[in-house]
Each structure stands twice: as C-alpha cells, then as structure tokens.
Amino acid sequence: LLELGVLVLVARAGSETFRRFGVNPLVGEIAFGFLMAVALGLMGLHLDKHVLEIFSELGILFMLFLIGL
C-alpha cells in the first residue's frame, strides 16, 4: 500500500508540473507514473502481475469517470 501511495503522490506532482507548462495534466500523470514504475523496477521492487492488472483496470475506470463516460 505504501508503493501505491507514493505512486499517487508522484502522479499528482506530475499533473501539477505539466499543468504549469500548459500541457494536459493527464499527460503528466501518465509520464510520471511510467517513470516511477520504471524506477521501482530498477530498485528491484516488483508487483505481482495480478495486482498490476487490477490497478490498471481501476485506473482506466477512474479515468473514464473523470472524462464523463
């Protein structure tokens, strides 16, 4: 759960950073989330494939709610 909290905070920081540069905040969340996942992988912290699938499906679901579908 700690890793999930860190990923959420990093994604939020990415959205704020990209918003200040005039870019869509969603792009910042995706970019920073990807970079954080790569960094966690390089540090040897790997999540189970099943857990990653659940998180990715939840992320898509939340994104669809945010854009109004």
Side-chain angles (χ1 to χ4, degrees):
L1 236 59
L2 177 63
E3 291 90 1
L4 180 61
V6 170
L7 284 173
V8 168
L9 288 174
V10 168
R12 183 67 181 167
S15 73
E16 290 299 321
T17 302
F18 275 58
R19 180 178 294 148
R20 290 184 184 179
F21 287 116
V23 181
N24 189 344
L26 182 61
V27 176
E29 291 177 0
I30 292 171
F32 274 54
F34 178 75
L35 291 174
M36 190 64 188
V38 170
L40 287 175
L42 291 176
M43 290 189 302
L45 300 174
H46 297 285
L47 292 175
D48 184 29
K49 183 179 179 181
H50 182 68
V51 173
L52 288 176
E53 288 176 359
I54 291 172
F55 284 144
S56 65
E57 290 176 8
L58 284 173
I60 291 170
L61 181 71
F62 289 140
M63 186 176 66
L64 288 174
F65 279 122
L66 285 174
I67 62 173
L69 293 179

